[in-house]
Amino acid sequence: MAEARLPIVEALKHRALDRCVPLSATIELSLRCNIRCAHCYNFDRETPYPRAIEGRELADDEVRLLLDDLRAEGCLYAGFTGGEALLHPSIYRFIRHAVRLHLSVIVKTNGTLVTPRTAARMSRAGVMGVDVSLHGGTAPTHDRFTGIPGAFDKSLAGARAAKAEGLRVHLSFSLGMHDAAEVEGMKRIAEEMGVECGIDPYITGRYDGKMDPIRFQLDRATMEALYRGPLAEVRREPRADLSEAPQCACARSVVGISSTGTVYPCIGAPLPSGSLREKRFPEIWRTSPQLNRIRGLGLDDFATCKPCPHRAWCRRSSGVVYSNTGNYTGPEPFTCTEAEVLHALHDEGAPIPETTGNVQVQRATIDRRLPAPHDGNP
């Protein structure tokens, strides 16, 4: 389809991808959090706050300068994340500054701190939406996984409060062996609330190199049962065009910035590509050898993926692959297993039910869910 005939947001994303414009930026404000998710990719939440990060988070003026530079480079969507973004004492100042720059703002949150008053404050500051993380379809599962009794009910109450204020609400469910039996419940929660949801089976190792969260990944039998059953609706026909590299938007139309100012190709791909403490963002974005290397990757650089018979069904995320293997262009066991399962179900002719389209299977990053640009007054 010609770009001119695409819906405006899709056309914008395509143009940004082609021209390497950082359309969507995810900014970690801090790694501090009020819950203790067992699979947290930041660090093991049962351990003290990392000394390497303590006191080194970006200062307020550094965040404001970053937002200025992002907008100058063509950014339209800013996502604030953590840790728990709402714990940062300057979160509302950052939101207002971003909105004055005509950026659309999404706050990634676990929802437990979102009260009616907080939701109203976010709305007044100009937030477009919230992305609420959940880790099960029932309170016992979610609360056990987060280590906080009552967290599930608070998270849902926060999502409802945000919706009542007119904020766009998206629920992001992590999916692993701990909650695989609750997918129908996840979908029902989103349906009853009248919001979209993402169900994310792509669990990664921690960014400090520890791989213990991998134990929560779905096994093959469970994955097949889900794609045959409650997740059958998200299966798609195989891609017809396999001439391009299996690249995502990393380093092309999305970018991530860590709480200490390290620039990543995507917040889900922790490949250090420059530091805001050494250079301004525009210089890093345009000249970083790491970012430019990623932009220049072709199909031949994905030596294992290119001849793979399952590539048409692969949902490869470079961030997941890199986090779990340390190899940006290589294979990753879970991703490969998923492609094999989807291929087998297709060849078997397993039925795909009709869907309302409000459920997606994807890595839970706010980069991939771009709302329409903010068009209100600054």
Side-chain angles (χ1 to χ4, degrees), residues 285-360:
W285 181 255
R286 297 180 187 187
T287 67
S288 165
Q290 193 73 268
L291 298 181
N292 283 321
R293 181 185 73 84
I294 290 172
R295 292 166 187 153
L297 291 172
L299 181 57
D300 288 341
D301 294 300
F302 296 81
T304 305
C305 298
K306 182 179 178 180
C308 178
H310 311 297
R311 187 153 63 93
W313 290 267
C314 186
R315 298 180 176 183
R316 188 184 191 281
S317 162
S318 296
V320 172
V321 172
Y322 176 75
S323 296
N324 287 346
T325 69
N327 183 353
Y328 191 87
T329 59
E332 190 265 338
F334 183 89
T335 302
C336 295
T337 298
E338 181 186 48
E340 292 173 13
V341 167
L342 293 172
H343 188 174
L345 290 172
H346 174 269
D347 287 355
E348 175 191 307
I352 300 177
E354 292 186 8
T355 174
T356 59
N358 72 323
V359 179
Q360 305 163 11

Side-chain angles (χ1 to χ4, degrees), residues 248-259:
C248 55
C250 281
R252 297 175 68 189
S253 63
V254 304
V255 67
I257 295 92
S258 80
S259 62

Side-chain angles (χ1 to χ4, degrees), residues 202-284:
Y202 308 112
I203 295 174
T204 68
R206 305 190 200 279
Y207 286 7
D208 61 7
K210 297 177 182 176
M211 301 304 295
D212 49 303
I214 297 299
R215 70 188 189 275
F216 296 109
Q217 283 185 340
L218 298 173
D219 61 31
R220 184 186 182 108
T222 304
M223 181 193 297
E224 180 177 339
L226 289 172
Y227 280 128
R228 191 184 293 279
L231 291 181
E233 66 184 86
V234 302
R235 296 196 341 256
R236 298 289 182 266
E237 290 300 313
R239 291 192 305 281
D241 183 4
L242 297 178
S243 62
E244 296 185 355
Q247 280 270 56
C248 55
C250 281
R252 297 175 68 189
S253 63
V254 304
V255 67
I257 295 92
S258 80
S259 62
T260 55
T262 300
V263 176
Y264 296 146
C266 166
I267 205 64
L271 196 61
S273 304
S275 171
L276 298 178
R277 297 272 167 71
E278 298 173 3
K279 298 178 181 179
R280 294 271 293 268
F281 176 79
E283 183 178 357
I284 295 172

